[in-house]
């Protein structure tokens, strides 16, 4: 295990916020030469005193806002080896938790394992993707999860969770609901052997039609989705952000009808459980926040759901902007916005 004291977090969160962690514990990934190096590092972690102060597992930091220095240990998983198999009906990829989600999509396209292409260009690693059940363009990671291997940080026990046991919901899971409890180190994903493009997301279907693509290949889906995503989000090398900052709110039918009556241009609300899922990006845009800044935090001019760092912004400034938006959307529409990003 590698131990770093008083470590800068600037390169460890995609917002680029300049806070520090009292300690960073890095569990090195297995290599072909040393297949059990990761588990040796896990043993070392449990021999250390990491539970005496606050601790948290961190992925690529693409969904987190540090509002102050972290007075405890951040645990980073290095496990990244992968292998594929096939039971005749489905194909499977088993990947270490630190592998980037987009890298897993790239592998699936290279191998012609089907079903994950709609998650192209999603930031972060696959472990974090499972924690928050990431989703984009009509697919969520839960649609692919076969099993999740995790270590119980309370006692070191190892568990293999089935997809059902992960209790996935919209941008949530058992792992998100029990913060600090589980260290995900390996994920097995199930893929289709036949290609059936998922065109359920309207903006994607419209874009393919605009390009005159009637029967897209898996690679075309990946390319179009990658372009579509980046056309709306800040380039990470230019501006820090955490992707969608808020979840799309689920409201009751009366609220949905009331807003639709007041604003006939409201995008189609989709049924979600007992209620209707509204577009947080549209609500923020309609509330007049698109392109605005507060301090050094801003609302991305091409997608109001994305808050970004205009340059050396602090986590407190991001939170102040988020709260101002929440207040306005509550006042104007009577809708509570909940952050998707984790605020520490
Ligand atoms: N809209 C506006 N103004 C805006 C932004 C959006 O009017 O500034 C409207 C759009 O025109 C559209 C609707 O709101 O009619 C929905 O917007 P969009 O298609 O951009 O998607 P979204 O619902 O805002 C969700 C996910 C994204 C995912 C996209 C595509 C959440 C919180 N966000 O965004 O996920 O990429 O769909 O599937 O569910 C992420 O979680 O980090 C993320 C980027």
């Amino acid at each position: 295990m590698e131990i770093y004291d008083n470590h800068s977090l600037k390169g460890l969160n995609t917002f680029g916020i300049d806070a520090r962690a009292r300690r960073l514990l890095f569990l090195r990934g297995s290599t072909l030469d040393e297949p059990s190096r990761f588990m040796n590092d896990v043993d070392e972690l449990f021999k250390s005193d990491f539970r005496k102060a606050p601790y948290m597992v961190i992925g690529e930091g693409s969904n987190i806002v540090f509002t102050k220095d972290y007075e405890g240990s951040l645990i980073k998983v290095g496990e990244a080896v992968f292998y594929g198999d096939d039971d005749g009906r489905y194909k499977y990829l088993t990947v270490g938790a630190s592998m980037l989600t987009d890298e897993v999509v790239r592998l699936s396209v290279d191998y012609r394992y089907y079903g994950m292409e709609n998650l192209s260009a999603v930031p972060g690693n696959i472990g974090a993707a499972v924690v928050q059940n990431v989703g984009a363009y009509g697919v969520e990671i839960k649609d692919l999860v076969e099993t999740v291997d995790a270590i119980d940080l309370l006692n070191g026990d190892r568990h293999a969770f089935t997809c059902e046991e992960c209790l996935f919901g919209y941008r949530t899971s058992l792992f998100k609901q029990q913060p600090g409890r589980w260290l995900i180190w390996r994920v097995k994903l199930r893929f289709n052997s036949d290609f059936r493009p998922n065109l359920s997301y309207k903006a994607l279907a419209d874009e393919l039609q605009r390009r005159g693509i009637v029967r897209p290949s898996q690679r075309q889906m990946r390319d179009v989705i990658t372009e579509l995503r980046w056309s709306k989000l800040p380039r990470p090398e230019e501006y820090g952000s955490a992707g969608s900052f808020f979840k799309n709110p689920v409201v009751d039918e009366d609220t949905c009808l009331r807003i639709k009556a007041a604003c006939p241009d409201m995008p189609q609300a989709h049924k979600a459980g007992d209620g209707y899922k509204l577009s947080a990006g549209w609500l923020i845009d309609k509330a007049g926040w698109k392109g605005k800044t507060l301090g050094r935090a801003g609302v991305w001019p091409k997608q109001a759901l994305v808050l970004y760092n205009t340059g050396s912004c602090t986590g407190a400034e991001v939170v102040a902007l988020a709260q101002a938006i929440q207040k306005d959307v509550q006042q104007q529409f009577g809708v509570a916005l909940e952050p998707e990003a984790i605020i520490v």
Side-chain angles (χ1 to χ4, degrees), residues 172-291:
T172 191
S173 69
L174 168 81
F175 313 107
K176 187 151 178 188
Q177 286 153 26
Q178 299 185 339
R181 172 94 192 256
W182 302 103
L183 181 135
I184 295 177
W185 65 279
R186 195 169 62 180
V187 180
K188 183 172 182 179
L189 300 170
R190 187 190 62 243
F191 297 83
N192 295 320
S193 308
D194 308 316
F195 182 53
R196 274 170 275 128
N198 181 332
L199 304 174
S200 59
Y201 200 84
K202 188 171 178 308
L204 172 62
D206 289 350
E207 181 60 21
L208 287 163
Q209 197 182 24
R210 198 183 65 79
R211 295 180 186 216
I213 303 173
V214 180
R215 250 181 284 140
S217 67
Q218 185 191 26
R219 196 166 289 280
Q220 276 174 320
M221 290 282 282
R222 173 165 169 74
D223 293 346
V224 170
I225 287 163
T226 302
E227 274 183 48
L228 204 54
R229 230 185 130 80
W230 286 125
S231 68
K232 289 198 271 177
L233 297 181
R235 301 287 322 178
E237 57 279 15
E238 283 181 70
Y239 297 105
S241 89
S244 296
F245 192 88
F246 297 100
K247 291 190 213 174
N248 286 326
V250 177
V251 300
D252 59 30
E253 191 171 7
D254 286 351
T255 307
C256 182
L257 292 174
R258 175 175 53 75
I259 300 173
K260 184 80 191 164
C263 313
D265 61 329
M266 181 178 93
Q268 172 81 35
H270 296 282
K271 192 111 188 69
D274 293 338
Y276 288 86
K277 198 190 266 182
L278 306 184
S279 298
W282 178 84
L283 290 166
I284 298 166
D285 188 351
K286 199 77 183 167
W289 277 100
K290 196 174 194 168

Side-chain angles (χ1 to χ4, degrees), residues 46-105:
F46 278 92
K47 283 184 201 136
S48 77
D49 59 356
F50 81 98
R51 276 175 297 184
K52 289 207 178 123
Y55 62 87
M56 189 172 77
V57 180
I58 184 171
E60 294 302 300
S62 58
N63 201 40
I64 198 164
V65 183
F66 289 102
T67 56
K68 49 186 180 303
D69 288 346
Y70 190 73
E71 298 297 340
S73 300
L74 291 180
I75 304 169
K76 203 162 159 57
V77 177
E79 186 67 359
V81 286
F82 75 93
Y83 52 90
D85 63 280
D86 183 338
D87 65 7
R89 184 154 177 234
Y90 294 109
K91 317 259 191 195
Y92 301 89
L93 274 179
T94 303
V95 294
S98 75
M99 189 173 271
L100 296 177
T101 300
D102 188 57
E103 183 62 12
V104 184
V105 181

